[in-house]
Each structure stands twice: as structure tokens, then as C-alpha cells.
Amino acid sequence: MARRNIAAGNWKMNKTSEEAIELFEKIVDINVPEGVEVIMATPAIYLDWAAKGVYEKGRVNVSAQNCHEEESGAYTGEISAKMLASIDVPYVLIGHSERREIFNEEDSLLAKKIDAALDAGLSPIFCCGEPLSVRKAGEQVDYVSKQVEKALFHLEGPMLDRIVIAYEPIWAIGTGETASPEQAQEMHSAIRSQLAGKYGSKIADDISILYGGSVKPANAKEIFSQTDVDGGLVGGASLIASGFEEIINSFS
Ligand code: PGA
């Protein structure tokens, strides 16, 4: 998959069934501009009908928010990448900071989840990002590089074609505080250079790198206009269709 503009919504653990259907119907009716891909990471319970629903409409895709690293077995409450693939879900978020922090998911586990997703034919949206203490110490590039290296660098180059990266500084998630466009650009460019160093510039140039952390209609345009920012992973602002539509229209 070539590098492209992506507006991805992460619904997290929000919306009852009725509310989810209402939001979903509004989003699939949005007139998505040419060259923009829209992804909705709904709660897993809604993915089956959402995946069926989007294909009738066109350029909107769905994503899971997580998957288990094993293909099947005695893992009560879990969902495998293979199951997601079997209901035609094309994407899965891996390593969201809430999974890392609240559910103690470490880099070694995330590397296994990346493999499980790729083996099942899914495209992982790999999330990385530093906490505030690391940002304050000025060590964010080193910190995020390690996350990228540990989760992805065991992969062969061609596999990178199926990966999307989302840089989400933890201090900006759900806080209303956004990284400045320059801070986003600095990190995205560092990630791209790191990928170029390992896999060559063709692969690095082809990968889509999204920014996440309090993206909203008021700041999306400026953030998306940065050279190495290919779109956003949007939490809170993706729960209101009109606002998400403005974000979808923020690519110039
Ligand atoms: P936010 O969440 O847009 O509400 O800050 C982003 C995310 O966690 O993906």
C-alpha cells in the first residue's frame, strides 16, 4: 500500500449499540475527498456489521482496536487476528498507549501481535509515543525509536508495506493538549529516517505515519500539513460525526 492520507477514528470503549449504529451511519455517508482514506476503529462487538456495512458504501474502512497474539485457544475473552480477518476487518490497532499502560502490553508482546496480524492478512496500525516525563527530559526521539525497533524491526522489508504507524504522545491523548505541528513533524521525520536507515528510503517514504493526541477540527489542518504527517488517529473528536467530517476534510 502506498503512502496515503488517512483519517482514522478510535472510538475506544464508547457507544452503545444504538449509538454506534447512529454514528456509523453518519460517517459512512460523509463525502470523503479523493485521496483520503477513512478508518473507524469501533469496539470489537460492532465490527461484524460495521465491516459488512462499509463495503456497500465505498471508501471507509474498519479497524479493530486490539487482537490477541495467538491464533486460537484457551484465552477467555480474547479475539484473534484470524477471527478479525474472517469477518473482513482489514486493520487492527496494535500498541495503543492505553493497552500499554492499563493492560501492561510490552514491546515484546506487541511484536508478537504485529506478527499475528500480518499472518492473518491484516494491516497493523502500530501506535507509539512517549509519556510526559520523557518529553520533559528531551528523550522522546530515543524513546519512540526503541518502541519502533522492538515491535517492527524483526520484519522483512516487504512487510512494512502493510504497516501504518501512529505517533501518539501520551501527554496529548485525551488531554486537550496537542503536540505543536513542529513537534509532530520532528518525531514523524525521525521515525521515517529511522525506517530509512533500516529498510532504505523507498520503504520509509511509502509508509503512512499518523499523528494522534487531541486532534480536532481546529488543529487538524495545521498538523496534517506537515511534510511527514500523513493524517491522524483521532479519539474523542471521532465520536461526533460533524467534527470528524471536518477532520476528514482537513487535508490540503
Ligand atoms: P484523543 O485520542 O484524540 O481523544 O486524544 C487519541 C487516541 O488515543 O488515539
Side-chain angles (χ1 to χ4, degrees):
M1 278 182 288
R3 185 166 163 189
R4 59 211 183 278
N5 292 324
I6 298 175
N10 176 10
W11 295 12
K12 308 193 180 184
M13 194 176 75
N14 290 297
K15 304 291 176 188
T16 61
S17 171
E18 209 173 304
E19 292 164 349
I21 291 169
E22 197 189 325
L23 177 60
F24 172 85
E25 283 179 349
K26 285 185 184 155
I27 291 175
V28 289
D29 274 342
I30 292 172
N31 196 3
V32 180
E34 205 57 53
V36 177
E37 181 177 348
V38 176
I39 300 173
M40 283 178 287
T42 76
I45 191 172
Y46 307 135
L47 281 170
D48 193 12
W49 59 253
K52 289 192 180 89
V54 291
Y55 291 124
E56 288 162 18
K57 287 283 184 175
R59 272 203 315 281
V60 178
N61 274 316
V62 291
S63 173
Q65 298 175 9
N66 178 36
C67 68
H68 194 269
E69 66 277 17
E70 297 295 338
E71 218 176 78
S72 63
Y75 302 99
T76 302
E78 291 294 321
I79 294 173
S80 73
K82 197 175 172 187
M83 291 173 185
L84 295 170
S86 74
I87 56 164
D88 294 328
V89 171
Y91 289 101
V92 57
L93 304 183
I94 303 280
H96 189 280
S97 63
E98 286 147 20
R99 299 294 318 172
R100 292 176 187 261
E101 288 198 326
I102 307 168
F103 300 96
N104 301 318
E105 295 194 357
E106 291 181 352
D107 293 313
S108 54
L109 173 69
L110 300 176
K112 288 186 193 156
K113 290 191 177 202
I114 293 275
D115 289 343
L118 289 170
D119 285 350
L122 301 183
S123 288
I125 301 175
F126 172 69
C127 307
C128 52
E130 79 287 356
L132 187 58
S133 55
V134 169
R135 169 66 59 172
K136 280 192 170 151
E139 289 162 1
Q140 64 273 11
V141 170
D142 193 40
Y143 186 93
V144 170
S145 308
K146 288 211 174 76
Q147 290 180 320
V148 170
E149 185 184 330
K150 286 181 184 163
L152 301 180
F153 276 17
H154 63 287
L155 299 174
E156 299 290 331
M159 281 295 170
L160 269 283
D161 192 43
R162 293 189 17 225
I163 305 263
V164 172
I165 294 181
Y167 166 60
E168 302 202 303
I170 297 171
W171 46 272
I173 294 178
T175 57
E177 191 171 335
T178 323
S180 67
E182 295 74 26
Q183 285 173 323
Q185 170 55 27
E186 182 202 32
M187 185 61 80
H188 285 226
S189 142
I191 294 171
R192 214 180 286 287
S193 309
Q194 184 193 6
L195 293 169
K198 167 83 177 166
Y199 294 106
S201 54
K202 168 81 178 78
I203 287 176
D205 285 343
D206 269 356
I207 200 159
S208 303
I209 309 180
L210 315 182
Y211 168 80
S214 299
V215 173
K216 43 188 179 252
N219 60 24
K221 221 184 187 89
E222 215 187 343
I223 295 173
F224 295 176
S225 69
Q226 301 300 306
T227 319
D228 286 296
V229 178
D230 303 306
L233 179 55
V234 186
S238 73
L239 298 174
I240 299 159
S242 57
F244 193 47
E245 180 167 13
E246 277 188 64
I247 292 171
I248 291 169
N249 282 300
S250 296
F251 295 93
S252 40

CSV table of all heavy atoms in Angstrom, one decimal, residues 57-101:
chain,number,residue,atom,x,y,z
A,57,LYS,N,-20.7,0.9,1.0
A,57,LYS,CA,-20.6,2.4,0.8
A,57,LYS,C,-19.4,2.9,0.1
A,57,LYS,O,-19.4,3.9,-0.5
A,57,LYS,CB,-20.7,3.0,2.2
A,57,LYS,CG,-22.0,3.0,2.8
A,57,LYS,CD,-23.0,4.0,2.2
A,57,LYS,CE,-24.3,4.0,2.9
A,57,LYS,NZ,-25.2,5.1,2.4
A,58,GLY,N,-18.2,2.2,0.2
A,58,GLY,CA,-17.1,2.7,-0.5
A,58,GLY,C,-15.8,2.9,0.3
A,58,GLY,O,-15.3,2.0,0.9
A,59,ARG,N,-15.4,4.2,0.4
A,59,ARG,CA,-14.0,4.4,0.8
A,59,ARG,C,-13.8,4.5,2.4
A,59,ARG,O,-12.9,5.2,2.8
A,59,ARG,CB,-13.5,5.7,0.2
A,59,ARG,CG,-12.8,5.4,-1.2
A,59,ARG,CD,-11.8,6.5,-1.5
A,59,ARG,NE,-12.3,7.8,-1.4
A,59,ARG,CZ,-13.1,8.4,-2.2
A,59,ARG,NH1,-13.6,7.8,-3.3
A,59,ARG,NH2,-13.5,9.7,-1.9
A,60,VAL,N,-14.7,3.9,3.1
A,60,VAL,CA,-14.5,3.9,4.6
A,60,VAL,C,-14.1,2.4,5.0
A,60,VAL,O,-14.7,1.5,4.5
A,60,VAL,CB,-15.7,4.3,5.3
A,60,VAL,CG1,-15.5,4.3,6.8
A,60,VAL,CG2,-16.1,5.7,4.9
A,61,ASN,N,-13.1,2.3,5.9
A,61,ASN,CA,-12.7,1.0,6.3
A,61,ASN,C,-12.9,0.9,7.8
A,61,ASN,O,-13.0,1.9,8.5
A,61,ASN,CB,-11.2,0.8,6.1
A,61,ASN,CG,-11.0,0.2,4.7
A,61,ASN,OD1,-11.7,-0.7,4.2
A,61,ASN,ND2,-10.0,0.8,4.0
A,62,VAL,N,-12.9,-0.3,8.3
A,62,VAL,CA,-13.0,-0.5,9.8
A,62,VAL,C,-11.7,-1.1,10.3
A,62,VAL,O,-10.9,-1.7,9.6
A,62,VAL,CB,-14.2,-1.4,10.2
A,62,VAL,CG1,-15.5,-0.7,9.9
A,62,VAL,CG2,-14.1,-2.8,9.5
A,63,SER,N,-11.5,-0.9,11.6
A,63,SER,CA,-10.3,-1.4,12.3
A,63,SER,C,-10.7,-2.0,13.6
A,63,SER,O,-11.6,-1.4,14.3
A,63,SER,CB,-9.3,-0.3,12.5
A,63,SER,OG,-8.2,-0.8,13.3
A,64,ALA,N,-10.0,-3.0,14.1
A,64,ALA,CA,-10.2,-3.5,15.5
A,64,ALA,C,-9.2,-2.6,16.3
A,64,ALA,O,-8.3,-1.9,15.8
A,64,ALA,CB,-9.8,-4.9,15.6
A,65,GLN,N,-9.5,-2.6,17.6
A,65,GLN,CA,-8.6,-1.8,18.5
A,65,GLN,C,-7.5,-2.6,19.2
A,65,GLN,O,-6.6,-2.1,19.8
A,65,GLN,CB,-9.5,-1.2,19.6
A,65,GLN,CG,-10.5,-0.2,19.0
A,65,GLN,CD,-11.5,0.3,20.1
A,65,GLN,OE1,-11.2,0.1,21.3
A,65,GLN,NE2,-12.5,1.0,19.7
A,66,ASN,N,-7.6,-3.9,18.9
A,66,ASN,CA,-6.6,-4.8,19.6
A,66,ASN,C,-6.8,-6.2,19.0
A,66,ASN,O,-7.9,-6.5,18.4
A,66,ASN,CB,-6.9,-4.9,21.1
A,66,ASN,CG,-6.0,-5.8,21.9
A,66,ASN,OD1,-4.8,-5.9,21.6
A,66,ASN,ND2,-6.6,-6.4,22.9
A,67,CYS,N,-5.9,-7.1,19.2
A,67,CYS,CA,-6.1,-8.5,18.9
A,67,CYS,C,-5.2,-9.3,19.8
A,67,CYS,O,-4.2,-8.8,20.4
A,67,CYS,CB,-5.8,-8.9,17.4
A,67,CYS,SG,-4.1,-8.8,17.0
A,68,HIS,N,-5.5,-10.6,20.0
A,68,HIS,CA,-4.6,-11.5,20.8
A,68,HIS,C,-3.5,-12.0,19.8
A,68,HIS,O,-3.6,-12.0,18.6
A,68,HIS,CB,-5.4,-12.7,21.3
A,68,HIS,CG,-4.6,-13.4,22.4
A,68,HIS,ND1,-3.8,-14.5,22.1
A,68,HIS,CD2,-4.5,-13.2,23.7
A,68,HIS,CE1,-3.3,-14.9,23.3
A,68,HIS,NE2,-3.7,-14.1,24.3
A,69,GLU,N,-2.4,-12.4,20.5
A,69,GLU,CA,-1.2,-12.8,19.7
A,69,GLU,C,-1.3,-14.2,19.2
A,69,GLU,O,-0.6,-14.6,18.2
A,69,GLU,CB,0.1,-12.5,20.4
A,69,GLU,CG,0.3,-13.4,21.7
A,69,GLU,CD,-0.4,-12.8,22.9
A,69,GLU,OE1,-1.3,-12.0,22.8
A,69,GLU,OE2,0.0,-13.3,24.0
A,70,GLU,N,-2.2,-15.0,19.8
A,70,GLU,CA,-2.3,-16.4,19.3
A,70,GLU,C,-3.4,-16.5,18.4
A,70,GLU,O,-4.3,-15.7,18.4
A,70,GLU,CB,-2.5,-17.3,20.5
A,70,GLU,CG,-1.4,-17.4,21.6
A,70,GLU,CD,-0.1,-18.0,21.1
A,70,GLU,OE1,-0.2,-18.7,20.1
A,70,GLU,OE2,0.9,-17.7,21.6
A,71,GLU,N,-3.4,-17.6,17.6
A,71,GLU,CA,-4.4,-17.8,16.5
A,71,GLU,C,-5.8,-18.2,17.1
A,71,GLU,O,-6.8,-17.9,16.6
A,71,GLU,CB,-3.9,-18.8,15.6
A,71,GLU,CG,-4.2,-18.5,14.1
A,71,GLU,CD,-3.6,-19.6,13.2
A,71,GLU,OE1,-4.1,-20.7,13.1
A,71,GLU,OE2,-2.5,-19.3,12.6
A,72,SER,N,-5.7,-19.1,18.1
A,72,SER,CA,-6.9,-19.6,18.7
A,72,SER,C,-6.5,-20.3,20.1
A,72,SER,O,-5.3,-20.4,20.3
A,72,SER,CB,-7.6,-20.7,17.8
A,72,SER,OG,-6.7,-21.7,17.7
A,73,GLY,N,-7.5,-20.7,20.8
A,73,GLY,CA,-7.1,-21.5,22.0
A,73,GLY,C,-7.8,-21.0,23.3
A,73,GLY,O,-8.8,-20.2,23.2
A,74,ALA,N,-7.3,-21.4,24.4
A,74,ALA,CA,-8.0,-21.2,25.7
A,74,ALA,C,-7.6,-19.8,26.2
A,74,ALA,O,-6.7,-19.7,27.1
A,74,ALA,CB,-7.6,-22.3,26.7
A,75,TYR,N,-8.1,-18.8,25.7
A,75,TYR,CA,-7.8,-17.4,26.1
A,75,TYR,C,-9.1,-16.6,26.3
A,75,TYR,O,-9.5,-15.8,25.4
A,75,TYR,CB,-6.9,-16.7,25.0
A,75,TYR,CG,-5.6,-17.4,24.8
A,75,TYR,CD1,-5.5,-18.3,23.7
A,75,TYR,CD2,-4.6,-17.3,25.7
A,75,TYR,CE1,-4.3,-19.0,23.5
A,75,TYR,CE2,-3.4,-18.0,25.5
A,75,TYR,CZ,-3.3,-18.8,24.4
A,75,TYR,OH,-2.1,-19.5,24.2
A,76,THR,N,-9.8,-17.0,27.3
A,76,THR,CA,-11.2,-16.5,27.5
A,76,THR,C,-11.3,-15.0,27.4
A,76,THR,O,-10.5,-14.3,28.0
A,76,THR,CB,-11.7,-16.9,28.9
A,76,THR,OG1,-11.6,-18.4,29.0
A,76,THR,CG2,-13.1,-16.5,29.2
A,77,GLY,N,-12.2,-14.5,26.6
A,77,GLY,CA,-12.4,-13.1,26.5
A,77,GLY,C,-11.6,-12.4,25.4
A,77,GLY,O,-11.8,-11.3,25.1
A,78,GLU,N,-10.7,-13.2,24.7
A,78,GLU,CA,-9.9,-12.6,23.7
A,78,GLU,C,-10.4,-12.8,22.3
A,78,GLU,O,-11.2,-13.7,22.0
A,78,GLU,CB,-8.4,-13.2,23.9
A,78,GLU,CG,-7.8,-12.7,25.1
A,78,GLU,CD,-7.5,-11.2,25.2
A,78,GLU,OE1,-7.1,-10.7,24.1
A,78,GLU,OE2,-7.6,-10.6,26.2
A,79,ILE,N,-9.8,-12.0,21.4
A,79,ILE,CA,-10.2,-12.1,19.9
A,79,ILE,C,-8.9,-12.2,19.1
A,79,ILE,O,-8.0,-11.4,19.3
A,79,ILE,CB,-11.0,-10.9,19.5
A,79,ILE,CG1,-12.3,-10.9,20.3
A,79,ILE,CG2,-11.2,-10.8,18.0
A,79,ILE,CD1,-13.1,-9.6,20.1
A,80,SER,N,-8.8,-13.2,18.2
A,80,SER,CA,-7.6,-13.4,17.4
A,80,SER,C,-7.7,-12.6,16.1
A,80,SER,O,-8.7,-12.2,15.6
A,80,SER,CB,-7.4,-14.8,17.1
A,80,SER,OG,-8.3,-15.3,16.1
A,81,ALA,N,-6.5,-12.3,15.6
A,81,ALA,CA,-6.4,-11.6,14.3
A,81,ALA,C,-7.1,-12.5,13.2
A,81,ALA,O,-7.7,-11.9,12.3
A,81,ALA,CB,-4.9,-11.4,14.0
A,82,LYS,N,-7.0,-13.8,13.4
A,82,LYS,CA,-7.6,-14.6,12.4
A,82,LYS,C,-9.1,-14.5,12.4
A,82,LYS,O,-9.8,-14.5,11.3
A,82,LYS,CB,-7.2,-16.1,12.7
A,82,LYS,CG,-7.4,-17.1,11.6
A,82,LYS,CD,-6.9,-18.4,12.0
A,82,LYS,CE,-7.3,-19.5,10.9
A,82,LYS,NZ,-7.0,-20.8,11.4
A,83,MET,N,-9.7,-14.3,13.6
A,83,MET,CA,-11.1,-14.1,13.7
A,83,MET,C,-11.5,-12.8,13.0
A,83,MET,O,-12.5,-12.7,12.3
A,83,MET,CB,-11.6,-14.1,15.1
A,83,MET,CG,-11.5,-15.4,15.8
A,83,MET,SD,-11.8,-15.0,17.6
A,83,MET,CE,-11.5,-16.6,18.3
A,84,LEU,N,-10.7,-11.8,13.2
A,84,LEU,CA,-11.0,-10.4,12.6
A,84,LEU,C,-10.9,-10.6,11.1
A,84,LEU,O,-11.8,-10.0,10.4
A,84,LEU,CB,-9.9,-9.4,13.1
A,84,LEU,CG,-10.0,-9.1,14.6
A,84,LEU,CD1,-8.8,-8.2,15.0
A,84,LEU,CD2,-11.3,-8.4,15.0
A,85,ALA,N,-9.9,-11.3,10.6
A,85,ALA,CA,-9.8,-11.5,9.2
A,85,ALA,C,-11.0,-12.2,8.6
A,85,ALA,O,-11.5,-11.9,7.5
A,85,ALA,CB,-8.5,-12.2,8.8
A,86,SER,N,-11.5,-13.1,9.4
A,86,SER,CA,-12.7,-13.9,8.9
A,86,SER,C,-14.0,-13.1,8.8
A,86,SER,O,-14.9,-13.6,8.2
A,86,SER,CB,-12.9,-15.2,9.8
A,86,SER,OG,-13.5,-14.8,11.1
A,87,ILE,N,-14.0,-12.0,9.4
A,87,ILE,CA,-15.2,-11.1,9.2
A,87,ILE,C,-14.8,-9.9,8.4
A,87,ILE,O,-15.4,-8.8,8.4
A,87,ILE,CB,-15.9,-10.7,10.5
A,87,ILE,CG1,-14.9,-10.0,11.5
A,87,ILE,CG2,-16.5,-11.9,11.2
A,87,ILE,CD1,-15.6,-9.2,12.6
A,88,ASP,N,-13.6,-10.0,7.6
A,88,ASP,CA,-13.2,-9.0,6.7
A,88,ASP,C,-12.8,-7.6,7.3
A,88,ASP,O,-13.1,-6.6,6.7
A,88,ASP,CB,-14.3,-8.7,5.6
A,88,ASP,CG,-14.5,-10.0,4.7
A,88,ASP,OD1,-13.5,-10.7,4.5
A,88,ASP,OD2,-15.6,-10.2,4.3
A,89,VAL,N,-12.2,-7.7,8.5
A,89,VAL,CA,-11.7,-6.5,9.1
A,89,VAL,C,-10.3,-6.3,8.6
A,89,VAL,O,-9.5,-7.2,8.7
A,89,VAL,CB,-11.7,-6.6,10.6
A,89,VAL,CG1,-10.9,-5.4,11.3
A,89,VAL,CG2,-13.1,-6.6,11.2
A,90,PRO,N,-10.0,-5.2,7.9
A,90,PRO,CA,-8.6,-5.1,7.3
A,90,PRO,C,-7.5,-4.5,8.2
A,90,PRO,O,-6.4,-4.7,7.9
A,90,PRO,CB,-8.9,-4.1,6.1
A,90,PRO,CG,-10.1,-3.3,6.5
A,90,PRO,CD,-10.9,-4.1,7.5
A,91,TYR,N,-7.9,-3.8,9.3
A,91,TYR,CA,-6.9,-3.2,10.1
A,91,TYR,C,-7.1,-3.6,11.6
A,91,TYR,O,-8.2,-3.9,12.0
A,91,TYR,CB,-7.1,-1.6,10.1
A,91,TYR,CG,-6.7,-1.0,8.8
A,91,TYR,CD1,-7.7,-0.6,7.9
A,91,TYR,CD2,-5.4,-0.7,8.5
A,91,TYR,CE1,-7.3,0.0,6.7
A,91,TYR,CE2,-5.0,-0.1,7.3
A,91,TYR,CZ,-6.0,0.3,6.4
A,91,TYR,OH,-5.7,0.9,5.2
A,92,VAL,N,-6.0,-3.4,12.3
A,92,VAL,CA,-6.0,-3.6,13.8
A,92,VAL,C,-5.0,-2.6,14.4
A,92,VAL,O,-3.9,-2.5,14.0
A,92,VAL,CB,-5.8,-5.0,14.2
A,92,VAL,CG1,-4.5,-5.6,13.7
A,92,VAL,CG2,-5.9,-5.2,15.7
A,93,LEU,N,-5.5,-1.9,15.5
A,93,LEU,CA,-4.5,-1.1,16.2
A,93,LEU,C,-3.7,-2.0,17.1
A,93,LEU,O,-4.2,-2.9,17.7
A,93,LEU,CB,-5.3,-0.1,17.2
A,93,LEU,CG,-6.3,0.9,16.6
A,93,LEU,CD1,-6.8,1.8,17.7
A,93,LEU,CD2,-5.7,1.7,15.5
A,94,ILE,N,-2.4,-1.8,17.1
A,94,ILE,CA,-1.5,-2.5,18.0
A,94,ILE,C,-0.7,-1.6,18.8
A,94,ILE,O,-0.1,-0.7,18.2
A,94,ILE,CB,-0.6,-3.4,17.2
A,94,ILE,CG1,-1.3,-4.4,16.2
A,94,ILE,CG2,0.4,-4.2,18.1
A,94,ILE,CD1,-1.9,-5.6,16.8
A,95,GLY,N,-0.7,-1.8,20.1
A,95,GLY,CA,0.2,-1.0,21.0
A,95,GLY,C,-0.3,0.4,21.3
A,95,GLY,O,0.5,1.3,21.6
A,96,HIS,N,-1.6,0.6,21.3
A,96,HIS,CA,-2.1,1.9,21.7
A,96,HIS,C,-1.7,2.1,23.2
A,96,HIS,O,-1.5,1.2,23.9
A,96,HIS,CB,-3.7,1.9,21.7
A,96,HIS,CG,-4.2,3.3,21.9
A,96,HIS,ND1,-4.4,3.8,23.2
A,96,HIS,CD2,-4.7,4.2,21.1
A,96,HIS,CE1,-4.8,5.0,23.1
A,96,HIS,NE2,-5.0,5.3,21.8
A,97,SER,N,-1.4,3.4,23.5
A,97,SER,CA,-0.8,3.6,24.8
A,97,SER,C,-1.7,3.2,26.0
A,97,SER,O,-1.2,2.8,27.0
A,97,SER,CB,-0.5,5.1,25.0
A,97,SER,OG,-1.7,5.9,24.9
A,98,GLU,N,-3.0,3.1,25.7
A,98,GLU,CA,-3.9,2.6,26.8
A,98,GLU,C,-3.7,1.1,27.0
A,98,GLU,O,-3.8,0.6,28.1
A,98,GLU,CB,-5.4,3.0,26.5
A,98,GLU,CG,-5.6,4.5,26.7
A,98,GLU,CD,-6.6,5.1,25.8
A,98,GLU,OE1,-7.5,4.4,25.2
A,98,GLU,OE2,-6.6,6.3,25.6
A,99,ARG,N,-3.5,0.4,25.9
A,99,ARG,CA,-3.2,-1.0,26.0
A,99,ARG,C,-1.8,-1.2,26.7
A,99,ARG,O,-1.7,-2.1,27.5
A,99,ARG,CB,-3.1,-1.7,24.6
A,99,ARG,CG,-4.3,-1.6,23.8
A,99,ARG,CD,-5.5,-2.4,24.3
A,99,ARG,NE,-5.2,-3.7,24.9
A,99,ARG,CZ,-6.1,-4.5,25.5
A,99,ARG,NH1,-7.3,-4.0,25.7
A,99,ARG,NH2,-5.7,-5.6,26.0
A,100,ARG,N,-0.9,-0.4,26.4
A,100,ARG,CA,0.5,-0.5,27.0
A,100,ARG,C,0.4,-0.2,28.5
A,100,ARG,O,0.9,-0.9,29.3
A,100,ARG,CB,1.5,0.5,26.4
A,100,ARG,CG,1.8,0.2,24.9
A,100,ARG,CD,2.7,1.3,24.4
A,100,ARG,NE,3.0,1.3,23.0
A,100,ARG,CZ,4.1,0.8,22.5
A,100,ARG,NH1,5.1,0.3,23.3
A,100,ARG,NH2,4.3,0.7,21.2
A,101,GLU,N,-0.3,0.9,28.8
A,101,GLU,CA,-0.3,1.4,30.2
A,101,GLU,C,-1.3,0.6,31.1
A,101,GLU,O,-1.0,0.2,32.2
A,101,GLU,CB,-0.7,2.9,30.3
A,101,GLU,CG,0.4,3.8,29.8
A,101,GLU,CD,0.2,5.2,30.2
A,101,GLU,OE1,-1.0,5.6,30.3
A,101,GLU,OE2,1.2,5.9,30.4
